Structure formats: C-alpha cells, structure tokens
Amino acid sequence: METYSFLMKLELAKRTVTGLKEAGIDFVSYVPETRLSEILPLMKTDGSFTLVPVASEAEAVGIAAGAAMGGKQVAVYMEGTGLFVSTYNLLTVGERYGVPMLLLVAFVGSFDDQRNSYLFSHYGTKTLRLLQTLGIEAVVIESAEHLESRIKNAARMMHALKLPVALLFTGDFTE
C-alpha cells in the first residue's frame, strides 16, 4: 500500500508540474510543506522554472509579485496556513497593483485532507471564507481528473482578472 501511495503521489506531482509548464508558469516562490512537496524536485530537474525558496509566505508573495512585474509568469506554492500569513501582501501587492499570480495551496484542514488533525482543521474551515473576503477566486482540486486543464484555466483566469487566483489541493494530494 505504501508503494502505491508513493507512486500515486509521484504521478500527481508529475501531472501538476506538466500543468504548470503548459500554463506558462516559469517562476515559483515557495515555502516547502509536506503535502505537495514532490513537485519541487521535478521542477528543479525540469529547468523550465526559476525556483525561489523563502522563509515566509508573505515574502513568497512579494517576491513573486516583483517577478510578475518583471515579465515572469508566477506561482506561489504554500501550505494553507500560509494564506493567513500572506494576507497583507496579497491585498497590498496582489490586489492593489493587479498582479496575476497562481497560488498553489496545500488545503490543510479541509474536509478531504487525508492527514487532517486538530492542528489544521481550524484553518481549513476558514480558508475558503478568507479567500472570498480577499476577493481571490479559488478552485478546490481533490483528484487528478482534468488536472492539467484546471491549472491552465486558473492561469488564464489570473491573467484575465489581473489578480491572484488560488488552486487548493486536497483529497488525493494529501494521502
């Protein structure tokens, strides 16, 4: 069972990276976390992405915004709790200046989070309301069904809105 889970996560990671590449994403700032971490080595070896590890999610948003203003197609990868940390930057940079950025969020504490616990459940129950309050469009992704097209659609939407857009990964991505 453990080997199957690893192979499934690796396949999901490969498809996620393929979707990002097909969407034109070429710059990713991030704070590592455990649920989607398999995407990082794949992006490093791919060579199509500039990866910038940071110490906080607020910093990740600021750096990605600067890269976007410099012509990069950006994503910010973080754990769901990082949305709460980055709220000020998402509002003051992302919304005020109209910076398109794709937020790749491990939706910890969601109903479908297979590793949910008391540490994350309070954040998870407030995540969608937080994004709604911030005016950030979000899509919850629970499985690999239409994964690449959902990533491309989100990237297209962030450019149409000229605002951050969030993809919240849960379910199969959290096993």
Side-chain angles (χ1 to χ4, degrees), residues 11-137:
E11 181 61 27
L12 290 172
K14 287 179 181 176
R15 290 188 58 192
T16 301
V17 171
T18 297
L20 292 170
K21 193 171 176 178
E22 289 175 358
I25 301 297
D26 59 6
F27 184 97
V28 180
S29 58
Y30 68 95
V31 176
E33 58 80 52
T34 58
R35 285 164 174 80
L36 299 175
S37 61
E38 290 83 3
I39 66 173
L40 292 174
L42 297 173
M43 286 191 286
K44 285 178 186 174
T45 59
D46 183 278
S48 300
F49 302 94
T50 299
L51 297 175
V52 181
V54 296
S56 88
E57 293 83 359
E59 183 181 17
V61 168
I63 289 170
M69 289 181 198
K72 293 291 191 180
Q73 305 301 308
V74 305
V76 179
Y77 160 46
M78 67 179 85
E79 184 174 272
T81 56
L83 285 171
F84 295 84
V85 174
S86 63
T87 300
Y88 178 79
N89 288 31
L90 286 167
L91 280 175
T92 58
V93 178
E95 184 180 350
R96 183 176 294 159
Y97 296 110
V99 179
M101 65 180 79
L102 187 59
L103 305 176
L104 307 171
V105 181
F107 193 5
V108 296
S110 69
F111 279 84
D112 291 321
D113 180 357
Q114 301 302 304
R115 290 189 261 164
N116 201 356
S117 72
Y118 73 94
L119 294 173
F120 299 112
S121 59
H122 294 287
Y123 294 104
T125 61
K126 294 168 181 61
T127 298
L128 290 171
R129 287 182 298 209
L130 173 66
L131 289 168
Q132 184 178 28
T133 299
L134 296 173
I136 295 175
E137 296 297 321

